Amino acid sequence: MGGPPDFWTGVLERPLRCAPVIDAATALAAAFGVVFLAELGDKTQLLALGFGARHRLRVVACGLGLGYGIANLVAVVVGGVLGAALPQRPIEVISGAVFFGFAALAARRALSAGDDTDTDTSSELAAEAPGGLVGDATSDTTDRSSWRAVGPIGLAIAIAEMGDKTQIATATLASQSAPAAIWVGATLGAATSGMIGAAAGRSVGHRVSDRTVSIASAVLFAAFGLVMLAGWL
């Protein structure tokens, strides 16, 4: 077999240099698949459905990415780096109390929605005025206010994911393979699953009133709070 020795040495060593990249890609794909399937029908997908009914999809997408990213970062650090277990029961109690707080806020919004119907209708008509200065200003204000929902959405998703089966699975995968790749794959998988729910919620949100969506959100948050405090997850 001809050729300089350095050439054949490089050919033989090339697969070894590519091995870390292949391992990371495999870990990312495995985390994406596992978490995506586990999140289908999960409570956070139902939460995403509710958020999709109230907010623009790009706002929900940013909130989901933020929330899942935080939750999976905790899982990777605790499980993959520290090799520790998440304190599930304290997390359930704290999360349950926070969700009851979310339920109270949603209920208050539902009660005030009826009083603000006339004002909201006038604002919407002004925003839709073709080429009007008032319409442009209202539209800009509405767009800015909608982006403020990214933080609360991310917080709700992160809290709901704490101690969840997908977070535990992410921590387990991170302890066995590349933690960074696991974090990316798990976050993408969860966010993709969540956006399916958000898209479904968006299609429903156009057909129901804001008050109905707020009531449904309050019931959903309260149900999750009860389930978490009871330790039924």
Side-chain angles (χ1 to χ4, degrees):
M1 184 167 58
D6 291 342
F7 171 78
W8 293 111
T9 300
V11 171
L12 294 175
E13 289 181 351
R14 192 172 303 160
L16 297 177
R17 291 197 298 267
C18 294
V21 177
I22 296 174
D23 290 342
T26 302
L28 190 153
F32 179 93
V34 168
V35 173
F36 174 80
L37 293 176
E39 284 291 330
L40 292 176
D42 192 64
K43 62 181 182 295
T44 48
Q45 191 179 45
L46 296 178
L47 285 176
L49 187 149
F51 291 135
R54 290 190 56 83
H55 306 287
R56 299 178 182 181
L57 287 181
R58 61 176 178 267
V59 174
V60 178
C62 292
L64 293 180
L66 175 64
Y68 285 124
I70 293 172
N72 290 327
L73 180 62
V74 172
V76 167
V77 171
V78 174
V81 178
L82 302 180
L86 293 169
Q88 186 169 359
R89 187 54 191 159
I91 288 175
E92 289 176 345
V93 173
I94 295 173
S95 299
V98 171
F99 270 110
F100 273 117
F102 287 152
L105 292 175
R108 187 179 67 176
R109 187 169 56 241
L111 292 174
S112 62
D115 299 334
D116 296 338
T117 300
D118 295 336
T119 303
D120 292 342
T121 303
S122 300
S123 299
E124 290 173 1
L125 292 175
E128 293 173 359
L133 294 177
V134 175
D136 294 339
T138 306
S139 178
D140 291 341
T141 302
T142 303
D143 188 64
R144 287 196 298 270
S145 63
S146 66
W147 283 106
R148 295 173 186 167
V150 171
I153 291 173
L155 177 62
I157 293 296
I159 292 174
E161 279 293 289
M162 292 298 170
D164 189 72
K165 62 181 183 296
T166 52
Q167 192 184 41
I168 295 173
T170 301
T172 303
L173 291 172
S175 66
Q176 299 173 353
S177 188
I182 294 297
W183 177 77
V184 173
T187 301
L188 290 177
T192 302
S193 179
M195 283 306 297
I196 294 176
R202 187 64 176 171
S203 65
V204 174
H206 289 299
R207 298 180 175 88
V208 296
S209 65
D210 184 67
R211 184 171 184 271
T212 301
V213 173
S214 296
I215 293 174
S217 298
V219 172
L220 191 63
F221 283 135
F224 286 150
L226 179 62
V227 168
M228 287 186 166
L229 287 176
W232 293 339
L233 290 177

